[in-house]
Amino acid sequence: MATVSLNADEILTSKPFTPGQVAWKRFLRHRMALVGIWILVGLVLYVAFGPLFFSEADANLVDLRQKMSRPSDTHPFGTDMAGRDILARTIYGGQISILIGILAVVVSVTVGVLIGAVAGYFGGIVDSLLMRFTEAMFNIPQLFLLIVLAKFFASQTPNFTLLGRTYSGSVVIIVGVIGLTSWMYLARIVRSSFLSLKEQEFVTAARATGASDASIIFEHILPSAMAPIIVSATLEVANAILSEAYVSFLGMGVQPPTATWGNMLNEAYNQLEGAPWMWFFPGTLILLIVLAINFVGDGLRDALDPQSLAGAQE
Amino acid sequence: MTRYIIRRLLQAVPLLVIITALLFILTANLGDPLAAFGGERRRLQPADRARLERQLGLDRPLIEQYAIWLVGNDWMKVDLDGDSIADSYGTRRGVLRGDFGDSFQERRPAIEVIGERIWNTLLLMVASEIIVIILALLVGTFSALHQYSFWDHLITTLSFIGYSMPIFWLALMLIYLFGVNFQRWGLPSLPTVGMYDLSVGPTVGQIALHMLLPLTALSVVSLAAYSRYVRSQMLEVIHQDYIRTAYAKGLPERTVLRGHALKNAALPLVTIVGLDMPLLLGGTVVTEAIFGWPGMGRLFYKASNAGDIPVTMGILFIIAVLVVVFQLITDIVYTYFDPRIRYE
């Protein structure tokens, strides 16, 4: 048994924890967040190393003699309507789903931070115009906006090739559409942090040294407002993956030949009784990743932003 | 208070104009609205197409189409026969006077088409909201009073799973278990599609039976979020001084919880419910699609796919108005529950 030895010198000379270390310790105490991290690591490994075992050609290999066969040794997750292997498709579909989730959040964070920062920093007429616009966007349920926007931009976008793989052009559309319909909440958070931060002395000091508005916004205020942005961006990845799944499920999202967890469900739900494996596996993967990200986001909130009302929903 | 309400309503007007204008631009480009007219068998002749476009006003600039949608065209002469001379008065009266135009698909007033569906959606939504509020108050309070107990941890974990649950996955699982497998196992199975058996008709019992599964799917997802919220509110309230005072003067726990704690903990829930209500109309698109529930979400999906501008815009307009109205109602209800708040 190791005994805990308290050496006075050691305590006095050891460095104090940095805020980052404190946050990390708080995060590690959050058991569900750790479970979330492990699930996430597992899923990322699944989509990252899966291609070593299955080529994309496998995932798109149509074999009508094999169509809708139940899970077996050759097809552990079974096959779909066209006889394609569902296991291979969940690997490649997962890559796209996760990619869409992350890229959509990059778009929404960029827009949300810009609008929130400008509104909060400049105030006045700029603020009230931008906030009116934000409010207007809030007034329509996101799914309705998603459907209308996806349809609006959907008119024949060409496929494109990147790194030797062909993607449906709808991937880009869906990233943009999800990003542009989910920035409002973040914009409000950023605006309120800017409203209080811009009155602080370090901002006055920065202004006195002749820093430009852009430099004050991005170099001085924004770093202090990062905690809530990181937390809500994390949670937003889960929402973006869900949104992709919803529109793709309705058949208005990512189009073939690109598979995503969402559009695999689209044709599957007609086979509700006959081939439950077609919707069970992609659906479960969506549930797992959303759950894991929500766990991690909650842990991050406790770690980075302890004052915020834990458990409060947006 | 009256002045406050009037001011809020006036502020809502420009907001609604911006929203509807944006949505109109999007909706007007949803595809070929005339596709529905030819039917599937015959294609429209170019001459017929031009005539239809003229009659529906689709040949006009977008801004003019929007103005007509808003205020109608019965006060101005329009050109119907295509000779570039305005000859007769228009027939549209505009949304502001309650005319949503005729549905392109069904060729009857859009408001009628929407009206038939809106009650089905409301039935589902209101029932689910009532169940969710009652359960959330019970579960959230229980969880808060037994903080960090086994049950609290279990409830917290379950509510995280519920909150992360894609509603279609839950719906498919419910159908597979209670609809398909129960039938297979010879147990009494639940109906999974539609509102009632066509052979029986829309009786109360039938509708209630058909509502069970969609209601469960909808409720589980919202219950998770709401009960977390009640829990954190309750935790905050039960550590307040006035709760200790109430215990100290010897009131039974039940009275303290119900009369003092719950009333204050439930207050912020009013805001959440008020803001969620109109948005929930949108949350049902997927649920209604899966369960074949003839509601507004499914109608919206169908109409926007077909480029049916009057129905699509009508639904979006109704929702936008409901959001504004519910925000106002929430504020007013709030002053009733919390006399400290006064709006000027």
Side-chain angles (χ1 to χ4, degrees):
Chain A
M1 286 292 280
T3 50
V4 182
S5 67
L6 284 177
N7 183 335
D9 285 341
E10 203 174 290
I11 292 173
L12 287 176
T13 51
S14 66
K15 280 186 203 154
F17 293 129
T18 63
Q21 285 170 320
V22 174
W24 178 240
K25 278 179 181 297
R26 252 192 251 128
F27 184 78
L28 289 181
R29 273 214 309 270
H30 204 285
R31 242 181 305 158
M32 298 221 281
L34 289 180
V35 173
I37 288 276
W38 284 115
I39 300 178
L40 265 187
V41 168
L43 287 171
V44 169
L45 290 179
Y46 177 72
V47 301
F49 291 103
L52 297 179
F53 303 97
F54 302 92
S55 69
E56 195 178 19
D58 286 342
N60 290 330
L61 182 72
V62 174
D63 183 359
L64 287 175
R65 282 166 305 169
Q66 296 274 339
K67 89 174 200 184
M68 284 169 66
S69 51
R70 42 181 64 252
S72 61
D73 287 347
T74 38
H75 300 291
F77 287 2
T79 61
D80 66 6
M81 299 286 291
R84 293 171 297 199
D85 182 51
I86 292 187
L87 175 61
R89 283 182 79 70
T90 55
I91 291 170
Y92 287 92
Q95 292 177 351
I96 302 297
S97 283
I98 294 174
L99 192 73
I100 288 179
I102 293 171
L103 291 181
V105 168
V106 170
V107 175
S108 88
V109 167
T110 311
V111 178
V113 166
L114 271 181
I115 291 189
V118 168
Y121 181 75
F122 292 106
I125 181 86
V126 181
D127 182 30
S128 52
L129 278 180
L130 285 176
M131 284 302 112
R132 271 291 121 80
F133 180 57
T134 310
E135 209 178 308
M137 292 287 289
F138 249 132
N139 266 22
I140 299 297
Q142 198 199 2
L143 192 56
F144 282 55
L145 266 184
L146 275 178
I147 291 176
V148 172
L149 279 170
K151 193 94 208 305
F152 180 75
F153 288 112
S155 43
Q156 295 308 312
T157 42
N159 290 353
F160 63 95
T161 310
L162 191 70
L163 300 174
R165 283 174 63 188
T166 308
Y167 299 93
S168 158
S170 53
V171 172
V172 181
I173 308 271
I174 291 299
V175 165
V177 166
I178 294 177
L180 292 180
T181 51
S182 57
W183 52 267
M184 294 84 79
Y185 180 63
L186 192 68
R188 285 197 176 168
I189 299 180
V190 174
R191 172 177 174 270
S192 64
S193 351
F194 266 68
L195 277 180
S196 62
L197 285 171
K198 73 171 177 186
E199 306 297 342
Q200 305 238 331
E201 273 149 12
F202 70 91
V203 177
T204 320
R207 200 170 287 138
T209 62
S212 66
D213 284 336
S215 146
I216 294 177
I217 289 178
F218 293 109
E219 288 167 27
H220 296 272
I221 304 184
L222 195 55
S224 311
M226 276 321 272
I229 298 179
I230 293 173
V231 172
S232 69
T234 310
L235 294 171
E236 200 53 57
V237 176
N239 283 335
I241 290 176
L242 265 185
S243 299
E244 185 276 317
Y246 282 126
V247 268
S248 293
F249 177 76
L250 291 172
M252 293 174 143
V254 175
Q255 303 300 322
T258 305
T260 70
W261 287 340
N263 71 10
M264 289 177 71
L265 286 162
N266 175 243
E267 60 169 13
Y269 108 97
N270 294 321
Q271 306 301 325
L272 194 91
E273 306 176 27
W277 55 88
M278 275 173 61
W279 52 264
F280 180 79
F281 293 106
T284 307
L285 286 166
I286 296 174
L287 171 64
L288 275 180
I289 195 159
V290 173
L291 187 64
I293 296 173
N294 281 339
F295 278 160
V296 173
D298 197 54
L300 279 178
R301 173 166 36 212
D302 285 358
L304 296 175
D305 200 11
Q307 293 100 339
S308 77
L309 200 62
Q313 300 298 332
E314 351 188 317
Chain B
M1 195 66 200
T2 322
R3 284 189 57 175
Y4 172 75
I5 295 175
I6 293 172
R7 202 182 69 219
R8 281 288 300 270
L9 286 175
L10 285 180
Q11 278 176 348
V13 172
L15 184 66
L16 284 173
V17 172
I18 301 175
I19 298 173
T20 49
L22 283 176
L23 290 172
F24 197 88
I25 297 170
L26 294 172
T27 319
N29 291 295
L30 283 186
D32 181 11
L34 294 183
F37 276 85
E40 295 203 348
R41 267 149 282 139
R42 67 197 168 86
R43 308 193 84 210
L44 280 175
Q45 298 300 318
D48 291 340
R49 171 173 281 271
R51 187 174 45 81
L52 270 173
E53 276 187 349
R54 210 161 47 237
Q55 283 173 356
L56 295 168
L58 294 174
D59 55 340
R60 302 267 149 205
L62 213 49
I63 183 81
E64 204 182 316
Q65 286 188 41
Y66 174 68
I68 291 175
W69 178 80
L70 202 61
V71 296
N73 60 0
D74 56 353
W75 41 270
M76 64 179 194
K77 289 202 167 172
V78 287
D79 165 33
L80 283 181
D81 46 16
D83 53 5
S84 315
I85 305 164
D87 32 39
S88 56
Y89 285 99
T91 51
R92 304 271 303 274
R93 291 188 302 125
V95 171
L96 294 181
R97 286 179 287 162
D99 176 14
F100 286 63
D102 284 356
S103 160
F104 290 172
Q105 282 176 298
E106 308 203 10
R107 281 179 243 182
R108 58 200 177 98
I111 190 74
E112 220 178 276
V113 180
I114 299 170
E116 285 165 7
R117 301 293 199 93
I118 199 168
W119 300 111
N120 299 340
T121 294
L122 280 179
L123 181 66
L124 207 55
M125 289 329 311
V126 172
S128 138
E129 199 72 357
I130 291 171
I131 294 173
V132 167
I133 292 173
I134 294 172
L135 285 181
L137 286 173
L138 289 175
V139 173
T141 310
F142 177 87
S143 221
L145 293 181
H146 302 86
Q147 195 187 7
Y148 302 136
S149 69
F150 166 76
W151 290 107
D152 181 33
H153 283 302
L154 184 71
I155 290 170
T156 304
T157 313
L158 284 181
S159 60
F160 256 98
I161 294 174
Y163 181 62
S164 309
M165 186 85 77
I167 201 161
F168 50 77
W169 194 83
L170 181 63
L172 293 174
M173 288 297 262
L174 285 172
I175 294 180
Y176 192 62
L177 184 63
F178 293 105
V180 180
N181 274 344
F182 267 42
Q183 203 166 21
R184 219 174 264 169
W185 301 332
L187 293 168
S189 64
L190 286 171
T192 56
V193 172
M195 271 182 90
Y196 50 84
D197 256 334
L198 289 175
S199 55
V200 186
T203 60
V204 175
Q206 273 291 315
I207 294 179
L209 199 62
H210 280 75
M211 260 172 83
L212 270 179
L213 289 184
L215 206 54
T216 313
L218 280 171
S219 303
V220 165
V221 178
S222 327
L223 176 61
Y226 281 30
S227 62
R228 286 296 291 167
Y229 193 76
V230 172
R231 175 181 179 274
S232 70
Q233 288 299 321
M234 199 67 183
L235 277 177
E236 210 166 284
V237 169
I238 54 176
H239 292 116
Q240 300 274 330
D241 288 342
Y242 65 84
I243 297 295
R244 197 175 341 129
T245 311
Y247 277 120
K249 70 180 182 188
L251 287 181
E253 180 165 20
R254 177 185 285 249
T255 318
V256 177
L257 288 182
R258 243 194 239 159
H260 298 70
L262 197 56
K263 222 175 177 176
N264 286 291
L267 190 56
L269 199 63
V270 173
T271 324
I272 308 272
V273 174
L275 297 182
D276 270 1
M277 270 307 263
L279 298 187
L280 283 175
L281 292 172
T284 54
V285 178
V286 173
T287 318
E288 288 180 357
I290 294 179
F291 290 102
W293 190 263
M296 215 160 71
R298 241 177 101 206
L299 177 68
F300 178 81
Y301 175 66
K302 206 178 103 195
S304 62
N305 246 335
D308 192 340
I309 301 173
V311 173
T312 313
M313 275 310 289
I315 293 177
L316 290 170
F317 181 72
I318 289 174
I319 292 177
V321 170
L322 282 180
V323 173
V324 171
V325 170
F326 268 93
Q327 274 169 355
L328 194 58
I329 293 177
T330 311
D331 285 351
I332 296 169
V333 170
Y334 221 98
T335 60
Y336 173 77
F337 278 117
D338 189 345
R340 285 169 304 183
I341 297 174
R342 280 281 162 264
Y343 296 109
E344 285 311 322

